Amino acid sequence: MTGLHRRDFAAFYAHVHATPGSDPREPFPWQEDLLDHVLAGEWPELIDVPTGLGKTSVLDIAIFAAALNRDSVPRRCFFVVDRRLIVDEAYRHASRIRDVLADASADSVAGKVAAALLVEHDEEPLEVTRMRGGVTWSWRWLERPDRQAIVVGTVDQIGSRFLFRGYGVGDQLRPIDAALVGTDSLIIVDEAHLSRPFLTTLSDAMAQDTTPPEVKPVVVTMTASPTAQGPRVHRISNADQDHPVAGKRLRASKTAHLVEVTGVTKKNNDQQVVAALAQWADHLSHTNPVIGVISNTVARARAVFEHLHGTYPGRCMLLTGRIRPVDRDYLLLEWYDRIKADRPCDPEEPVFVVATQTVEVGANIDFTALVTESASLPPLIQRFGRLNRLGSAPAAPAVIVHSALDSEGVYGEARQATWQWLSTLQTPAAFRPGTHPPSLPEEGLDVSPAALRRLTAAVFEQDRKTWKQLQGTEPYTPYLSPAHLNAWTRTSPIPSPNDPSPAPFLHGLQREVPNVSLAWRELAGDEQAWRHALEVLPLMAEESIEVPLLAVRQWLSGQQITTRFADVEGEPSPDEPPRTAASPGEGAPRPVARYSSRESIEVIGGDAIRPGDRIVVPASYGGCDAFGWNPTYRHAVRDIGDLCGGNGKRRASVRLGPTLTTAITAHDPSLASALKELVQSVERDRQAEQLNAGAYCRQIEQILRTRPDIIEVLGTGLDHDGDDVPPHLAVLRRLALAKKPKVDEHLASGTVVLTSDITSYGEDDSAQSSSTARTPMRLDDHQRTVQKRAEEFARNLRLPAPLVQAVGLAALWHDEGKRDERFQAMLHGGDRWAAAAAEAEDPPRILAKSGMNPLDRQLFRAAQQRAGYPAGMRHEALSAQIANALLDNTTAINRDLVVHLIAAHHGYNRPLLKPVTDPAPVTSIQRHGQKIEVDSARSIDWSAPQRLTTLTSRYGRWGLARLEAIVRLADIWCSAREEADA
């Protein structure tokens, strides 16, 4: 017992939301009521709460309820939005909860919550991670299936993982991700009107699956619309309206004013609308300190920004989702404190925030005035939510700018329908750009949250036809059949070419904008030199931008960018103009590098780019500035590859050369100067063949510690990690604290790469990844340790005893195939004599892990060749045969389940392994003095497909993946920590 009580929630809430110099915050009445419902065992289907009233605090409620009553909340809480987020307030808040629990004293309420959440033998009570495009995160994103976690992500990232087709996830890791999303999960979908297809797919999938009901996902939607119907809708009450803080926000003064642009033609429409948006923003800046300008497309937002930036340099920022995440982090470090909702004071001079839809959801930004393009009703309501968010200003104007000649764009006919409806409530003012803006009437249209709820509720009740027109047409969600689910369940090999795309089931059936991921690196010389340069340092998503394929092709060819795109996921694709011969001044598309992995880099022409490609272009091409994608930018782009990898559970790697110092110079010239001296000494060591990773990490630590301002950010232990740490300091911090760093010289390019701590477990996709560690490890010790950990996971998850036993046996025998003499020779560096000598010891020294450097692929391949172990051979194939022989036919354990968990414990054999020819098949294995008949020539088990079908029918598609994940995560946990049975 932790001594935690229901009445302690207010204290926990106050601790999480505490800010220096402010009075303690108390929960709103709707939050207290929701907690009571959850503790009674009932999550609502929908939470209907206006924007600005703390919907993100549903995370506080989930975590406190889980601590008070473990059965009330699933282990993993997913917070889902359908936007390219620039400011991820949900992740910031989740991180705050994690930090409060980690730092709390044992006798505090937060300390009691942490103690209640912490499972036996775990290291932390709550894990928080961000899952979205643009973030390279650890494939080991959740270490334990029994740990409480909050995961923030988009529909694409979370939905694709749920459907066994995780975007950017290797085939072998997809079952783990599917299990973690699809079982024991609370999936909270913010602004549900944006995500109807995803919600339909979630419901249909669970209705057609036999996963135990008690572990199926609990789905909760949230909305700011008061039109939701149904018996399980949680709403605000009169108590919220009477609350001194909530009531103030509900009645926050906001007035909308309609402005129609005149004097426009089809030819000048774009320029005139941009001028109107910029001119109104300028006009409002005379009486308002923070002016937001929201455009419907990235190109128009960029044009408005350039217009204002020319007049007010240094006082304008551009926020779009088409920005490299590293650049975004620097941008927010500079600007966020000036525009966030709880800022202590307004900036001394007016500032302009030009943005796209990316600020509609998840951004705790507070404008004092707003200028927005016309749109359909739901996004307008969201945009009003960024205006006078806390109700602090006595008045806050919102100008809605409309042009009748604008194409339908991302909002279709609903944009025009919404404008016509608004025009019945207020007569639009005519405005011709270049003339003085008219004075705004004092009595505009009241768009406070309370007024909007009354207004929208009235139209919903009185005129359903108009209401539907204001919402826009929802895309059709295709029928989800068992055939779709069965195809997705087969993750290795994937049933190509007939593998159904998950996209229509996440965003509806529509023609979507095909994107590519675009990054910039310092590339020079011929194609071979490009490949060498990219092999040195893996490409990271933090240095990449997702851009429509057509826009990239046009940019590479020197053509005018004609495609107009927004910042919403799964947006409809504009019609692509026919591809014609190059016009004067245009040429063949410039070459690019297609990056699949460090082993697969191909230089291609720009016209050969395919949807979904990861493309790298030379920095000299231009096309990106500090605010993101900018096809008109002609200057060299900064290579930021060395500034990635500072967060998460991944290694940090940097090139100890000019790219590192140049990238840091832009943000800290003094630090870059100190690092230049390190780079020069590294070059001397390289020439003398005396590279020393530990010495370089110590030098980096010394450089950081000489700067009091850096110590203030990182702490005296250099251990502070969070969104307030600049990317370059996050990377250098990890290198400075590295215990077992590694330095490599890439001979082809002459580049030296310094890598922080070597992890002992790789990407789970090769014999090397599962068989290397910093120190050798005995097979029996390793398997017994994994068994204990897997059974611990299973018991904590309250699996029935037969399943705990099955999971334990699978863990105990999962690496038996490594008893192959050739495999043992490989683990001894290819030395058969050394392997034989080890086996002759008493007791025999049979290895599970080699002690070879996990990062040295070449060393491991050489050992494999010397040992004669067939390339591509999977040890789990032999492990499954051995386990089948060891199982007693009379046992109550499901034999097929144990065999499957072993055969699939690296993500292969779902349902088949790759065929491998063994030139010298193994026919028997010695195990503890017992001879077991096997046949390594049978690399494919043709009974596996039927076994997979039978098991998914019995345990459910996600239920079976959950059992696999328990075994695999136990193996990963023990391998990463090099745990061995004492």
Side-chain angles (χ1 to χ4, degrees), residues 51 55 80 189-195 222-225 361 382:
T51 184
K55 284 187 294 182
V80 188
V189 183
D190 195 15
E191 300 309 328
H193 65 277
L194 302 173
S195 310
M222 298 200 299
T223 182
S225 168
V361 180
Q382 291 301 317

Side-chain angles (χ1 to χ4, degrees), residues 363-402:
N364 193 28
I365 292 174
D366 194 1
F367 302 137
T368 56
L370 173 68
V371 182
T372 173
E373 282 194 74
S374 59
S376 58
L377 183 58
L380 282 180
I381 292 175
Q382 291 301 317
R383 295 174 190 186
F384 295 147
R386 309 308 123 188
L387 178 65
N388 197 12
R389 190 168 176 81
L390 304 183
S392 304
V399 174
I400 305 174
V401 175
H402 178 80

Side-chain angles (χ1 to χ4, degrees), residues 343-472:
R343 57 183 180 265
C345 60
D346 286 326
E348 294 181 1
E349 292 184 300
V351 296
F352 301 86
V353 181
V354 184
T356 56
Q357 298 90 345
T358 191
V359 298
E360 290 177 3
V361 180
N364 193 28
I365 292 174
D366 194 1
F367 302 137
T368 56
L370 173 68
V371 182
T372 173
E373 282 194 74
S374 59
S376 58
L377 183 58
L380 282 180
I381 292 175
Q382 291 301 317
R383 295 174 190 186
F384 295 147
R386 309 308 123 188
L387 178 65
N388 197 12
R389 190 168 176 81
L390 304 183
S392 304
V399 174
I400 305 174
V401 175
H402 178 80
S403 168
L405 294 185
D406 258 338
S407 59
E408 292 177 355
V410 68
Y411 300 112
E413 296 177 355
R415 173 181 159 276
Q416 185 63 33
T418 300
W419 179 257
Q420 292 174 350
W421 174 70
L422 289 172
S423 298
T424 66
L425 305 175
Q426 182 188 86
T427 302
F431 174 68
R432 187 183 185 94
T435 64
H436 192 274
S439 298
L440 296 176
E442 291 186 7
E443 293 187 3
L445 181 63
D446 186 356
V447 290
S448 65
L452 278 175
R453 290 175 74 79
R454 293 191 296 269
L455 188 62
T456 53
V459 70
F460 178 78
E461 294 294 337
Q462 299 168 13
D463 191 347
R464 292 293 176 90
K465 180 180 179 180
T466 297
W467 175 257
K468 290 182 179 180
Q469 291 174 341
L470 302 180
Q471 303 301 303

Side-chain angles (χ1 to χ4, degrees), residues 536 598 653-656 682 686 691-693 696 741-747 750-755 758 853 855-856:
V536 169
R598 294 173 77 170
S653 295
V654 298
R655 296 159 292 183
L656 292 175
V682 169
R686 185 186 72 84
L691 294 173
N692 187 327
Y696 305 146
K742 180 175 182 288
V743 64
D744 288 303
E745 178 186 0
H746 193 272
L747 297 176
T751 305
V752 175
V753 177
L754 179 65
T755 301
I758 300 171
N853 184 347
L855 300 181
D856 198 331

Side-chain angles (χ1 to χ4, degrees), residues 133-172:
V135 172
T136 303
W137 56 317
S138 172
W139 60 272
R140 216 170 66 213
W141 59 277
L142 188 62
E143 294 185 300
R144 296 177 59 116
D146 57 347
R147 179 183 291 168
Q148 201 72 36
I150 298 175
V151 183
V152 179
T154 65
V155 165
D156 271 346
Q157 292 297 324
I158 292 175
S160 65
R161 281 164 171 77
F162 171 76
L163 295 176
F164 290 87
R165 288 298 180 270
Y167 295 158
V169 178
D171 294 349
Q172 283 64 55

Side-chain angles (χ1 to χ4, degrees), residues 796-870:
N796 288 342
L797 294 173
R798 301 182 183 177
L799 265 61
L803 289 183
V804 174
Q805 190 175 356
V807 162
L809 286 177
L812 180 62
W813 298 331
H814 75 280
D815 272 350
E816 285 295 320
K818 292 182 179 181
R819 294 185 188 274
D820 184 332
E821 292 180 353
R822 300 167 300 178
F823 203 102
Q824 286 300 302
M826 180 173 64
L827 297 184
H828 284 83
D831 189 337
R832 286 177 175 267
W833 291 106
E839 188 173 0
E841 295 179 11
D842 187 17
R845 185 160 52 88
I846 307 298
L847 295 181
K849 309 290 181 182
S850 66
M852 285 187 282
N853 184 347
L855 300 181
D856 198 331
R857 296 173 182 264
Q858 185 175 354
L859 177 64
F860 196 90
R861 282 195 293 264
Q864 184 175 10
Q865 292 170 0
R866 287 195 297 270
Y869 193 73

